[in-house]
Amino acid sequence: MKIAHLGIAVKNLADALAPYEALLGGHDVHRETVEDQGVAVAMLPVGESHIELLEPTRPDSPIAKFLASRGEGLHHVCFEVDDIEAELARLKASGVRLIDQLPRAGANGCRVAFIHPKSTSGVLIELSQPMTSRD
Ligand code: CO
């Protein structure tokens, strides 16, 4: 397992991108809208991991709700896994509270699932299985 990315909730992607591009070099920035989660995403590489900036695309998206209650800032930590179904089953059997019982579509063709922050000391955890390790 490794840290795939750190997700940061932002009000405006263009405004947020400039300082992060200055910080990280601004090369290979991947942008995408994930309709399922109501977010526009910008992924900035940093070593083997990424910084994921998240702007809500609709008022009922989880990121919009997060911004309304907590403001901009660190939203989640994402761990990359090889077999997301197996990880979810293992966590469930260990009594860890899951938000997603089944994986759903994430950015970059990944399949993702979230663990409830009540189980992880207040930090929202995302598990992500890359498209490439599916076969
Ligand atoms: Co994420």
Side-chain angles (χ1 to χ4, degrees), residues 5 52 76 78 114 126:
H5 61 260
E52 179 185 61
H76 66 270
C78 177
F114 286 89
E126 177 183 15

Side-chain angles (χ1 to χ4, degrees), residues 10-77:
V10 305
K11 289 177 188 160
N12 181 286
L13 212 46
D15 291 348
L17 257 174
Y20 278 96
E21 285 181 333
L23 176 68
L24 300 172
H27 54 87
D28 298 327
V29 177
H30 170 77
R31 296 187 66 157
E32 184 177 343
T33 298
V34 185
E35 294 297 345
D36 186 48
Q37 292 173 43
V39 288
V41 174
M43 287 281 214
L44 297 94
V46 47
E48 283 198 340
S49 304
H50 288 80
I51 293 293
E52 179 185 61
L53 303 176
L54 302 149
E55 179 196 319
T57 57
R58 50 174 200 258
D60 66 334
S61 91
I63 294 295
K65 289 172 187 164
F66 179 89
L67 285 170
S69 66
R70 309 264 295 267
E72 291 189 306
L74 188 64
H75 178 260
H76 66 270
V77 176

